[in-house]
Amino acid sequence: MTSPLLTTPGAVTAESIDSGVAAHYGDPAHEGRAIERSSAWVDRSNRDVVRVSGPDRLGWLNDLTSQLTRGLPPGTATEALVLDTRGHLRHHLSLVDDGEAAWIHTEPGDGPGLAAFLDSMRFMLRVEVEDLSASRAVLTVLGPDRAAAVAAVAARIDGVPVRAAEGETDLFLPAERLADAARALTEAGARPAGMWAYEAHRIAEHRVRPGVDTDDRTIPHEVDWVGRAVHLDKGCYPGQETVARVHNLGRPPRRLVLLHLDGTAERLPEVGAAIELEGRAVGRVGSSARHHELGPIALGVVKRAAPTDADLVVEGIAAGQEVVVDPDTGANAQIDLRRRPR
């Protein structure tokens, strides 16, 4: 579905996974500065939206996901993962509960699969699952002045679920109110910003994007999801055994890095391209973007054994690495394997 905000002056349509929303509005660098220095709104109406209602919803989600949602206070933003039994990612949830229902947004195209999975797990519990991707649109407000911008349009977004997370605020708008809300935010001083600026900000913040920075082998410890989307002190859920084993006994096989790419290259690497060390593949690159201050950057996952100070190469582009996940993450148990004296 094509966003009505593509009629905004200067809007240029994004490609690939974010087709249907704007890549930028004519000046990605200034849009990036607004995200970090003042306030900006980003059209993320391509995100899928799922609503879970019913009195058992939070305890039920607690049992199905990696996050502690039982007793989650209304208005508290969180992230959660649905893992398979081996600890590999199935779905990523950006979630808030408004006291009556849990509102979730997830990657474009993932809503039907998530809703179908949740619906299949209802059994006799008092929960209802709705895929609202066609009728709800996510508009994200960022920047240090975002709270003032959102407060200025409070009357225009009355009754809209709001997910106020660290660094950004998501509005779950009825689709027909998207353009009006964006116009009101612009009048309140927030600048329109496209996905190029948003993605550059996200990458610089070391936040992975499912399906881009992850693959079918990804486990939470590898990509810095522990603490953010994985709660370590909660009851059982699918995949918990893998999370607990890595946390307590062993280090994950791969680790997340931020790559600072050679700025003389005129292109960005393709998603999934090999990260090489001395001609040998040691990992894969995920998302990349041109940051208004840092220049070309990317997220990648490399083998844990790859030296943290090594210079890497991606599709012929030199890349310095910034460690995000320490090679020794996990292995928190103190185990004495010495023989007992007889």
Side-chain angles (χ1 to χ4, degrees):
M1 183 173 63
T2 300
S3 171
L5 296 181
L6 285 173
T7 61
T8 302
V12 175
T13 306
E15 298 178 353
S16 188
I17 191 172
D18 289 317
S19 61
V21 297
H24 61 85
Y25 296 92
D27 195 341
H30 280 88
E31 293 165 25
R33 292 188 184 98
I35 286 175
E36 297 191 0
R37 300 177 186 178
S38 53
S39 63
W41 58 259
V42 179
D43 179 9
R44 300 174 75 205
S45 58
N46 60 328
R47 302 280 293 177
D48 282 358
V49 175
V50 174
R51 181 178 185 267
V52 180
S53 58
D56 296 332
R57 66 188 181 281
L58 292 178
W60 177 70
L61 287 169
N62 189 82
D63 294 340
L64 293 177
T65 74
S66 62
Q67 189 55 269
L68 179 63
T69 60
R70 191 183 305 276
L72 185 71
T76 302
T78 191
E79 297 178 47
L81 309 176
V82 174
L83 304 174
D84 66 19
T85 56
R86 300 176 64 187
H88 298 146
L89 177 68
R90 294 184 63 181
H91 304 282
H92 175 272
L93 291 63
S94 296
L95 183 150
V96 68
D97 192 88
D98 64 5
E100 296 182 357
W103 290 84
I104 298 162
H105 67 77
T106 189
E107 286 296 315
D110 193 44
L114 174 61
F117 166 76
L118 293 175
D119 197 57
S120 72
M121 301 299 291
R122 288 190 307 138
F123 303 115
M124 300 298 290
L125 295 175
R126 298 170 296 170
V127 293
E128 295 294 334
V129 180
E130 301 170 88
D131 180 1
L132 301 181
S133 304
S135 60
R136 290 279 171 167
V138 176
L139 189 67
T140 298
V141 189
L142 303 97
D145 300 334
R146 66 188 179 281
V150 173
V153 301
R156 306 278 280 273
I157 59 171
D158 183 50
V160 171
V162 176
R163 180 180 179 271
E166 183 179 357
E168 60 187 51
T169 300
D170 299 323
L171 309 178
F172 291 81
L173 292 156
E176 65 274 11
R177 294 171 61 183
L178 175 62
D180 179 67
R183 184 166 49 251
L185 285 166
T186 303
E187 293 169 354
R191 179 173 185 142
M195 290 304 300
W196 282 8
Y198 180 84
E199 288 290 272
H201 174 74
R202 176 186 63 80
I203 293 167
E205 292 285 306
H206 305 161
R207 293 187 288 119
V208 298
R209 185 168 184 180
V212 181
D213 301 307
T214 66
D215 57 23
D216 58 4
R217 297 186 293 125
T218 300
I219 59 175
H221 277 87
E222 294 178 332
V223 292
D224 201 30
W225 265 333
V226 174
R228 176 180 294 163
V230 175
H231 197 287
L232 293 172
D233 299 313
K234 57 163 284 184
C236 295
Y237 59 90
Q240 184 195 30
E241 183 178 349
T242 296
V243 172
R245 183 170 63 249
V246 173
H247 187 70
N248 292 316
L249 299 177
R251 302 168 179 86
R254 301 181 297 178
R255 59 184 179 86
L256 182 68
V257 295
L258 175 66
L259 299 173
H260 294 270
L261 304 170
D262 182 358
T264 62
E266 296 183 356
R267 57 189 172 82
L268 294 171
E270 294 290 330
V271 174
I275 300 174
E276 297 182 341
L277 172 62
E278 297 178 351
R280 295 180 295 106
V282 295
R284 69 179 291 276
V285 73
S287 46
S288 59
R290 298 186 186 278
H291 191 273
H292 68 280
E293 288 184 345
L294 300 176
I297 54 176
L299 290 176
V301 176
V302 299
K303 294 179 180 178
R304 183 179 64 84
T308 57
D309 58 353
D311 291 326
L312 305 171
V313 176
V314 184
E315 290 189 335
I317 304 171
Q321 61 168 310
E322 180 180 325
V323 175
V324 178
V325 171
D326 191 283
D328 293 322
T329 191
N332 290 299
Q334 300 297 316
I335 301 176
D336 188 352
L337 298 179
R338 292 177 297 177
R339 293 180 180 273
R340 292 183 179 179
R342 293 182 178 180

